[in-house]
Structure formats: C-alpha cells, structure tokens
C-alpha cells in the first residue's frame, strides 16, 4: 500500500487531489498543511480516518519535514503561496514557502531516497501574445513576471538541480489555471460566482482580453496521479485541457449560466504586469502517459462549479467579506 505525504493538503488543489487519490487508489495519506488563510480544515473534513492523517505544520520546518518524508514512499508537493496580487504586495512569504520550503523537502527526499513530485504552474513561462499561435511546452524558456511566478520558477529549478546533482527521484508538472470546488473566493472564477450570487456586478481587469487556459481541478488531480504512477524520473510534464478562454468570455458565460445579462459586469484598472495569455501544449502527457481530461468541455465544468458554490454557501461565506475588503483597498 503506497504511503503518500501531501503538502498543502488543505488548500484548493491539494484537497481535491487527496479526495481523488482516496477514490482512485488504495494509498494511505498524510496531509500536511500550515493552514494559512488559503488552507482550510473544512476542505478535508469527512475523509477516511483509517487512510488519512492530518498534520498541522510548515514545510519550512526542517525537523518536521525530515520526520514525515522518512515515513512515506512519495511526497506530493502542492504547498505554495500562490496569489499574484498578494505577491506584489508582500513577496517575502512567497520566497519563504515556495523556495525555502521546497529546499527543505528536497533535502529530506535526498536523505531518504524517496520519490518526489513537484506541482508547479504555467506562469513560470511568462506569457504569450494574444495572437501568437504557439503554446507552452516543456522546452519553453522561463520568463516569470511576478514574485509568485518567479519563486515557483526558482522552486522548479531547485528540483531539477537536485535531480542532476544528487540523483533524487523527482518529476515536475506545470499546470494551467485550475477551477472547481473548494477554491478560495479571492480567485477569479469563485469570486465572480459569489459576487453574482450576492447581486454584485463582477469586475474584470483591463479590457478582459487576457487569456487563461482553464482545467478542472479533478483533471489536474488525475494527471498528477498518472505522472506519479508512470512518469519518467527527471522529466517535466505540462498539464492542460485545451481550455483557452479570455476573462471577459468567462464572466459572460458565468452570468448566462446564473441567469443574468451577459453585459452585467464592469471593467477596472489592469493589474501591474498582468500576463496576456497562457496556453498549454499537453502532448507529452497525453502521448507518453495516455492521459486525457474528463472535463474536455469548459462550459460543462463551469456549470458544475457554479452548482457547487450555490450548494455550499456555508463553506465560502466566512471567507467572502475578508477577501472583498482586501480588494477594496486597491479598488478592484
């Protein structure tokens, strides 16, 4: 029986991966999370106590990390500071968690010779022009544009260096923008959904022409599990579901799904350094490992996500006021 250590397990993507792994494997899991504002114990409530153990702790804690890594077969590293706006306001937590925390894990993996999978983002590649036919591949040079993406790029490079210098058994995946259940309301899609529920007009940066490549979080989870099972050590795999949509179209689609006029939104001043377009070429993952997304149709996945937030107001309501207060400071 595989023993998985999952960092950032109470966050959005980590908690969904835990649920997916419980449903599709017989693994036992230790769920490590610092429980910052983005980590929520409620995300992992009701899980099997026979197969899951929760540990409240920090990946920067060398002693704790050493203890936990040594007890597991695979470390799946989701833990990260991940909000671009927050990184522009205060980069230090991003440096500590994304760089120092990853370093602590790598040293423990090196010591115990256990398998390591590092979760990263397509934002490390910078952005593409809106009319550029190209998409990101595993060979795309890194050009991060924010403190968040820069620290994730640095973490990726640490993993690669530890593979080459010390022979650790690691893989990396860079994924496009996730959406789905349990995503914090500060993020783009759940913020728009919850604003519409509250009768507040959605706000969109700039002209809303920025493009993101959306993937349902369950598809991300299935891809990560496939890489852990069959990925080649030392390799990087890009994860995407061919979900390129501009922000204005996402908002108009949400408004339509929720019974509102598609024009019921406002444009606000653009974010500094706002990347234009992300686009993932996941050919390597699909051809080499035989993976494909279950939510190939973005509208279907988005409708399911809207339904989840409508049915789970008690989950997101406590976050909402604080998130909107932070945005109000910047007029966004």
């Amino acid at each position: 029986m595989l023993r998985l250590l999952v960092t950032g397990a109470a966050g959005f993507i980590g908690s969904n991966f835990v649920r997916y792994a419980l449903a599709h494997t017989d693994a036992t899991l230790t769920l490590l999370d610092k429980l910052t504002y983005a980590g929520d114990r409620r995300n992992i409530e009701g899980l099997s106590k026979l197969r899951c153990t929760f540990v409240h702790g920090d990946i920067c804690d060398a002693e704790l990390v050493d203890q936990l890594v040594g007890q597991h077969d695979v470390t799946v590293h989701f833990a990260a500071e991940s909000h671009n706006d927050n990184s522009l306001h205060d980069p230090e937590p991003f440096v500590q968690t994304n760089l120092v925390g990853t370093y602590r894990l790598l040293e423990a993996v090196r010591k115990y010779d256990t398998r390591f999978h590092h979760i990263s983002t397509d934002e490390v590649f910078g952005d593409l022009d809106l009319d550029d036919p190209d998409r990101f591949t595993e060979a795309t040079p890194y050009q991060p544009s924010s403190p968040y993406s820069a620290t994730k790029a640095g973490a990726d490079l640490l993993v690669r260096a530890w593979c080459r210098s010390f022979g650790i058994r690691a893989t990396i995946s860079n994924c496009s923008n996730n959406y789905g259940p349990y995503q914090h309301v500060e993020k783009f899609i759940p913020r728009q959904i919850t604003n519409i529920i509250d009768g507040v007009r959605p706000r969109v940066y700039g002209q809303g022409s920025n493009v993101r490549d959306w993937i349902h979080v369950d598809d991300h989870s299935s891809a990560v599990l496939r890489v852990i099972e069959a990925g080649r050590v030392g390799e990087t795999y890009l994860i995407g579901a061919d979900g390129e949509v501009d922000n204005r179209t996402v908002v108009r689609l949400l408004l339509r799904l929720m019974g509102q006029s598609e024009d019921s939104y406002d444009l606000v001043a653009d974010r500094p350094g706002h990347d234009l377009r992300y686009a993932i070429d996941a050919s390597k993952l699909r051809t080499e490992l035989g993976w494909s997304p279950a939510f190939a149709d973005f509208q279907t996945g988005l409708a399911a996500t809207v339904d989840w937030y409508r049915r789970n107001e008690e989950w997101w309501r406590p976050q909402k006021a604080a998130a909107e207060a932070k945005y109000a400071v910047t007029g966004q």
Side-chain angles (χ1 to χ4, degrees):
M1 185 178 294
L2 197 64
R3 299 169 300 168
L4 301 179
L5 170 63
V6 182
T7 74
F12 162 48
I13 303 177
S15 64
N16 276 283
F17 173 79
V18 167
R19 293 174 183 275
Y20 192 90
L22 287 172
H24 293 87
T25 76
D26 63 356
T28 60
L29 300 92
T30 296
L31 318 182
L32 174 62
D33 204 289
K34 187 179 178 180
L35 295 180
T36 64
Y37 78 96
D40 193 330
R41 282 294 297 268
R42 296 174 304 156
N43 292 359
I44 50 177
E45 283 180 352
L47 302 181
S48 170
K49 293 183 179 179
L50 295 177
R51 294 176 60 191
C52 291
T53 303
F54 176 74
V55 176
H56 182 196
D58 189 344
I59 59 171
C60 293
D61 182 339
E63 184 177 347
L64 175 63
V65 164
D66 182 90
Q67 173 190 344
L68 292 175
V69 168
Q71 297 172 353
H72 295 82
D73 304 305
V74 184
T75 297
V76 192
H77 179 30
F78 289 93
E81 292 283 348
S82 65
H83 196 282
N84 267 307
D85 288 344
N86 291 348
S87 79
L88 294 168
H89 175 70
D90 182 11
E92 184 171 355
F94 293 76
V95 173
Q96 288 299 316
T97 297
N98 299 351
L99 290 171
V100 177
T102 301
Y103 163 73
R104 298 295 183 202
L105 290 164
L106 289 170
E107 284 293 88
V109 167
R110 175 187 175 194
K111 176 179 177 180
Y112 293 104
D113 187 28
T114 55
R115 178 81 165 80
F116 184 75
H117 181 70
H118 176 63
I119 310 297
S120 190
T121 171
D122 59 355
E123 296 190 41
V124 300
F125 302 117
D127 61 350
L128 300 163
D129 290 335
L130 295 177
D131 58 355
D132 188 340
D134 290 338
R135 296 187 289 172
F136 298 137
T137 73
E138 288 79 5
T140 301
Y142 279 17
Q143 292 183 314
S145 57
S146 71
Y148 160 58
S149 56
T151 54
K152 288 298 290 184
D156 291 7
L157 295 177
L158 287 176
V159 176
R160 292 179 181 177
W162 260 244
C163 281
R164 179 163 180 172
S165 297
F166 306 118
I168 69 165
R169 295 182 289 120
T171 44
I172 298 172
S173 58
N174 298 84
C175 191
S176 57
N177 287 62
N178 281 228
Y179 70 97
Y182 298 103
Q183 188 171 26
H184 196 284
V185 294
E186 71 178 4
K187 300 292 188 175
F188 179 67
I189 285 178
R191 187 186 184 206
Q192 310 308 337
I193 293 172
T194 54
N195 276 348
I196 295 168
I197 289 173
D198 281 348
V200 176
R201 289 170 65 92
R203 294 181 170 190
V204 183
Y205 284 131
Q207 296 302 308
S209 57
N210 303 69
V211 172
R212 297 297 177 258
D213 192 346
W214 294 101
I215 183 171
H216 193 280
V217 67
D218 284 353
D219 286 331
H220 187 184
S221 295
S222 70
V224 167
L225 193 59
R226 185 62 186 149
V227 173
I228 291 170
E229 292 170 342
R232 289 181 289 139
V233 167
E235 292 293 316
T236 295
Y237 296 88
L238 267 58
I239 302 174
D242 299 325
E244 283 188 68
V245 188
D246 68 70
N247 291 343
R248 184 169 49 213
T249 299
V250 173
V251 168
R252 292 174 68 88
L253 179 54
L254 285 171
L255 286 163
R256 185 167 75 247
L257 287 170
M258 300 179 74
Q260 304 292 316
S261 166
E262 292 186 14
D263 295 324
S264 299
Y265 65 91
D266 297 315
L267 301 176
V268 298
D270 209 353
R271 185 177 71 203
H274 195 181
D275 288 343
L276 292 176
R277 170 175 165 258
Y278 305 148
I280 287 282
D281 181 346
S283 299
K284 179 178 177 180
L285 177 67
R286 295 184 185 222
T287 58
E288 186 176 308
L289 302 185
W291 175 86
S292 61
F295 288 90
D297 177 63
F298 177 60
Q299 182 169 331
T300 300
L302 200 59
T305 303
V306 168
D307 182 61
W308 188 89
Y309 279 90
R310 278 178 160 158
R311 290 184 291 104
N312 289 277
E313 184 169 340
E314 74 286 352
W315 178 86
W316 58 263
R317 180 61 64 187
Q319 307 171 350
K320 185 63 176 174
E324 291 304 322
K326 289 173 64 176
Y327 276 115
V329 172
T330 59
Q332 297 167 337

